[in-house]
Amino acid sequence: MPWTDRQQALLQAMGLRVWAEPEHQPAPAVEAEAPPLPTAPQAAPASAPRSAPVRPLARPPALAPVTQTPAPSLAPAVAVHTATRADLASLDWPGLRSAVAGCQACGLCSSRTQTVFGVGHTQARWMVVGEAPGENEDLQGEPFVGAAGQLLDRMLAALQLSRAADGPPERSVYIANTLKCRPPRNRNPSAEELAQCEPFLVRQIELLQPRIILAMGRFAVQTLLRSDEPIGRLRGRVHHYQGVPLVVTYHPAYLLRSLPEKAKAWEDLCLAAETAEASAA
Ligand code: SF4
């Protein structure tokens, strides 16, 4: 079957040449599955069986309504040591950002330049969840900058999506990392660090109430799906996080090092787009 215009645009944005082939030519053979990523520091059991249906596209129930009443930031003593989901439940976007900025709940606070809260439209339909800030993110205070960020932006642009904070919500993406502070020398985050930081991501999702979550990379997947299965086994079907459809794909930084996986990431993005459209219907 020939690629649709949107599929071709996405392939082009990702640097793939598949769409340049004649229309009748079959899609390129899928490369051998990438080897499993290194063992995670800790993970809970998978949330869905491998044989789960590919597209449970029914619109999920909405998350609890979010109050528009400005809420105060956490008191310093709370923000520093014991930010739990209950602590954060009343915070709006500014309050949550302030709580993250003041957080010292794990040791990463001592080596960060600044926290990396998130970027994008706070009413976006799409949410991209990455892993941890790298050096550039730590310096700029924004997730997904540098080459990986540029690749992500091109992938999103192929779907007419943008991280711009002032665009139409239906064409906007909010981007956040699982971890808000950079691990020194870009080491893998520990299970404890991921657990300490998770309530911030949970609150971001509650506030945004996205129609689709795109989880990029194994630490995002481990946090949201409680699964340590390789990305290759989790991608290609729709999962759910608290009722929100969730699609798993590779991190753009990995795609830069493993070009054959770009075709799979393209498939994942198309699945996410179809799922988001179905949930909006
Ligand atoms: S990584 Fe998260 S939990 Fe740790 S200090 Fe930074 S904001 Fe706090």
Side-chain angles (χ1 to χ4, degrees):
M1 177 181 299
W3 306 123
T4 65
D5 291 344
R6 184 174 67 185
Q7 289 171 334
Q8 292 183 42
L10 182 53
L11 283 167
Q12 186 172 20
M14 296 172 67
L16 290 169
R17 300 176 59 189
V18 179
W19 70 93
E21 300 295 331
E23 273 193 356
H24 62 275
Q25 185 163 330
V30 175
E31 296 289 338
E33 198 68 63
L37 293 167
T39 302
Q42 179 179 324
S47 62
R50 294 179 191 176
S51 59
V54 172
R55 296 179 197 166
L57 298 182
R59 184 170 188 172
L63 295 175
V66 176
T67 177
Q68 298 301 313
T69 304
S73 300
L74 290 176
V78 174
V80 167
H81 295 299
T82 59
T84 66
R85 292 179 65 171
D87 294 326
L88 305 178
S90 65
L91 295 186
D92 62 2
W93 283 107
L96 185 63
R97 179 182 287 273
S98 178
V100 169
C103 180
Q104 299 179 32
C106 80
L108 297 182
C109 67
S110 63
S111 56
R112 72 189 179 206
T113 302
Q114 59 189 311
T115 54
V116 180
F117 180 73
V119 67
H121 200 304
T122 54
Q123 295 181 320
R125 303 290 191 267
W126 281 61
M127 183 172 196
V128 171
V129 178
E131 299 188 310
E135 181 178 14
N136 290 328
E137 286 82 4
D138 175 69
L139 292 173
Q140 298 182 37
E142 182 171 327
F144 285 97
V145 298
Q150 290 167 12
L151 175 57
L152 174 61
D153 287 343
R154 290 198 302 272
M155 294 160 66
L156 295 175
L159 293 171
Q160 289 88 51
L161 295 169
S162 166
R163 68 167 79 189
D166 55 358
E170 61 273 14
R171 298 261 61 97
S172 299
V173 177
Y174 191 86
I175 304 174
N177 278 325
T178 306
L179 213 61
K180 310 306 185 194
C181 301
R182 180 197 180 200
R185 299 175 298 284
N186 293 341
R187 67 162 169 76
N188 289 337
S190 70
E192 180 182 3
E193 291 161 350
L194 289 168
Q196 288 283 3
C197 214
E198 183 181 356
F200 294 128
L201 177 62
V202 170
R203 185 59 184 155
Q204 286 177 306
I205 296 172
E206 289 174 348
L207 287 168
L208 189 65
Q209 300 186 55
R211 286 187 182 153
I212 184 72
I213 296 174
L214 189 64
M216 307 191 95
R218 65 185 171 107
F219 293 116
V221 170
Q222 285 175 4
T223 297
L224 294 174
L225 293 184
R226 294 289 192 266
S227 173
D228 62 355
E229 285 203 70
I231 299 290
R233 292 184 184 171
L234 293 170
R235 57 165 296 277
R237 53 195 165 101
V238 178
H239 305 264
H240 286 85
Y241 176 80
Q242 296 191 359
V244 181
L246 183 152
V247 170
V248 169
T249 194
Y250 299 104
H251 194 281
Y254 176 68
L255 296 177
L256 291 172
R257 304 190 303 270
S258 182
L259 296 182
E261 307 298 1
K262 280 188 176 181
K264 296 177 183 175
W266 160 68
E267 294 172 355
D268 298 334
L269 280 178
C270 288
L271 174 59
E274 292 167 6
T275 305
E277 289 173 8
S279 70

